[in-house]
């Protein structure tokens, strides 16, 4: 985790401003992405084209010439060891534009931070395009908010039952299968204001409230370490007096819940649901960070020659095409 974070900070981003964008998807799509990891790549392509186009417009750069870059880390887990496929995207906080007089020195044009209204608009555009794509692929049926998963959305590895139980916080095995996972509420409920600004449309949620300036390398490294962390913290794992596996939440839920309890076999089932399928890459590089898609001068400027062969995952030929 620490090495991965340091590598991203020192060898990928360097002294450049970075903003984190986080996209959460509706429960049915979490199941689809967990069962069909091949569905993630095209969906991320849609997401990145939408955000990249918006960044180019905000920076005042023509979409046809703008170059942006992002690293996406796909997280499969939630705070309660539940299966929750979502996307942490670290974007350069602006776009590169070519400079005719200095082709070896492309200029980074900054973009303003998105407002809540802009995030909502972007989330709506992403939701519409993603659902339209999945309908065409046959994984969704219906339209927009009335869409539902088709029969072909399930996996072929016999894990679908464990996945759905994990996604919906339910017990997967034993005589209590189907019931909600046991929780402990040890503090009063918090009925305060909802969490910070986010765009929410039809189960899609888009956040972009965390950023690090070019000189804030330590802040960026802390952010990278956070999103690259493993699913389980051993420090918060214990055995209750009744012999159940108890896991402490990193942040209490608003209803006062601080721990979740599992029977030992169900705990193993929860871990099994979190394991990604073989050859499912959890880190994706896009735009100027993708090999073979940018001019030599820009690649040299970004110091991208230090990656080991095969470390990149080719994701999209351009993150600015609309």
């Amino acid at each position: 985790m620490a090495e991965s974070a340091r590598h991203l900070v020192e060898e990928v981003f360097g002294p450049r401003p970075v903003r984190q964008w986080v996209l959460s998807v509706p429960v049915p799509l979490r199941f689809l992405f967990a069962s069909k990891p091949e569905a993630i790549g095209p969906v991320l392509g849609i997401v990145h084209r939408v955000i990249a186009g918006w960044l180019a417009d905000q920076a005042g750069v023509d979409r046809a010439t703008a170059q942006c870059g992002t690293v996406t880390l796909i997280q499969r887990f939630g705070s309660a060891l539940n299966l929750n496929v979502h996307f942490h995207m670290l974007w350069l906080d602006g776009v590169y534009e070519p400079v005719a007089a200095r082709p070896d020195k492309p200029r980074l044009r900054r973009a303003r931070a998105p407002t809540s209204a802009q995030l909502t608009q972007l989330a709506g555009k992403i939701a519409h395009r993603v659902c339209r794509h999945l309908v065409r692929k046959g994984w969704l049926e219906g339209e927009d908010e009335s869409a539902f998963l088709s029969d072909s959305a399930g996996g072929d590895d016999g894990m679908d039952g464990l996945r759905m139980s994990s996604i919906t916080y339910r017990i997967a095995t034993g005589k209590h299968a189907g019931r909600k996972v046991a929780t402990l509420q040890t503090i009063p409920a918090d009925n305060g204001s909802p969490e910070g600004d986010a765009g929410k449309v039809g189960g899609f949620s888009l956040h972009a409230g965390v950023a690090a300036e070019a000189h804030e390398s330590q802040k960026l490294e802390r952010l990278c370490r956070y999103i690259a962390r493993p699913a389980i913290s051993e420090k918060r794992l214990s055995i209750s007096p009744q012999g159940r596996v108890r896991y402490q939440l990193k942040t209490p839920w608003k209803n006062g819940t601080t721990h979740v309890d599992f029977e030992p076999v169900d705990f193993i089932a929860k871990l099994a649901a979190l394991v990604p399928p073989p050859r499912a890459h959890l880190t994706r590089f896009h735009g100027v960070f993708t090999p073979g898609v940018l001019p030599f001068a820009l690649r040299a400027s970004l110091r991208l020659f230090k990656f080991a062969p095969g470390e990149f995952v080719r994701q999209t030929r351009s993150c600015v095409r609309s």
Side-chain angles (χ1 to χ4, degrees):
M1 175 182 67
E3 291 181 0
S4 298
R6 192 174 304 113
H7 177 75
L8 288 173
V9 172
E10 297 178 356
E11 304 294 345
V12 179
F13 294 112
R16 297 175 182 84
V18 175
R19 180 173 299 276
Q20 178 188 222
W21 295 65
V22 183
L23 177 67
S24 299
V25 298
V27 167
L29 297 194
R30 300 175 196 176
F31 175 80
L32 172 65
F33 295 152
S35 301
K36 299 281 191 183
E38 64 269 24
I40 294 177
V43 167
L44 280 180
I46 293 171
V47 174
H48 286 91
R49 286 192 292 272
V50 170
I51 296 177
W54 181 86
L55 286 172
D57 293 343
Q58 292 296 305
V61 179
D62 184 6
R63 293 191 181 194
T65 60
Q67 293 278 355
C68 63
T70 179
V71 179
T72 299
L73 291 96
I74 304 171
Q75 278 196 357
R76 292 176 53 87
F77 56 90
S79 61
L81 301 185
N82 56 302
L83 180 59
N84 179 10
V85 180
H86 59 288
F87 310 109
H88 289 258
M89 300 169 285
L90 297 174
W91 283 82
L92 292 177
D93 204 15
V95 298
Y96 279 99
E97 67 171 348
V99 179
R102 294 292 305 273
D104 61 327
K105 292 290 185 181
R107 178 171 53 192
L108 180 65
R109 294 285 297 270
R110 294 293 300 271
R112 296 187 298 271
T115 65
S116 179
Q118 289 171 328
L119 288 172
T120 300
Q121 183 180 21
L122 289 170
K125 183 178 295 187
I126 289 171
H128 176 71
R129 294 187 181 182
V130 167
C131 290
R132 184 177 60 186
H133 163 76
L134 295 177
V135 168
R136 284 201 300 260
K137 295 292 291 185
W139 287 322
L140 277 184
E141 297 180 6
E143 295 182 359
D144 297 330
E145 295 186 7
S146 63
F148 56 92
L149 288 178
S150 67
D151 293 338
S152 63
D156 54 5
D157 55 4
M159 293 284 291
D160 285 351
L162 296 184
R163 293 188 183 108
M164 186 54 73
S165 294
S166 181
I167 290 171
T168 56
Y169 301 90
R170 295 189 180 276
I171 298 171
T173 63
K175 62 182 181 179
H176 299 303
R179 295 184 181 179
K180 284 287 188 180
V181 169
T183 59
L184 294 179
Q185 295 172 285
T186 62
I187 62 175
D190 179 10
N191 296 319
S193 59
E195 60 178 302
D197 291 340
K200 298 182 179 180
V201 176
F204 287 79
S205 177
L206 187 63
H207 297 250
V210 178
E213 293 296 328
H215 65 278
E216 296 180 309
S217 60
Q218 292 184 346
K219 179 179 180 180
L220 179 58
E221 183 169 348
R222 288 195 300 270
L223 176 61
C224 291
R225 291 180 64 145
Y226 173 75
I227 63 180
R229 71 192 187 280
I232 301 175
S233 170
E234 294 183 4
K235 295 180 180 179
R236 293 188 275 124
L237 196 62
S238 62
I239 303 296
S240 72
Q242 296 77 27
R244 297 166 63 87
V245 179
R246 179 166 295 174
Y247 192 67
Q248 182 179 0
L249 304 178
K250 183 178 179 63
T251 303
W253 292 346
K254 291 185 177 181
N255 65 357
T257 296
T258 56
H259 299 75
V260 288
D261 273 12
F262 307 97
E263 293 292 344
V265 174
D266 194 55
F267 175 70
I268 295 175
K270 292 292 181 286
L271 297 183
L274 296 179
V275 177
R279 297 174 296 279
H281 298 283
L282 299 183
T283 302
R284 314 284 179 98
F285 296 84
H286 310 260
V288 299
F289 298 136
T290 308
V293 303
L294 69 163
F296 173 84
L298 182 54
R299 182 161 55 235
S301 175
L302 292 174
R303 299 182 298 120
L304 293 180
F305 287 122
K306 296 184 179 180
F307 287 100
E311 188 172 347
F312 287 106
V313 177
R314 186 179 303 276
Q315 178 61 41
T316 180
R317 297 298 299 175
S318 171
C319 67
V320 183
R321 291 187 302 230
S322 56

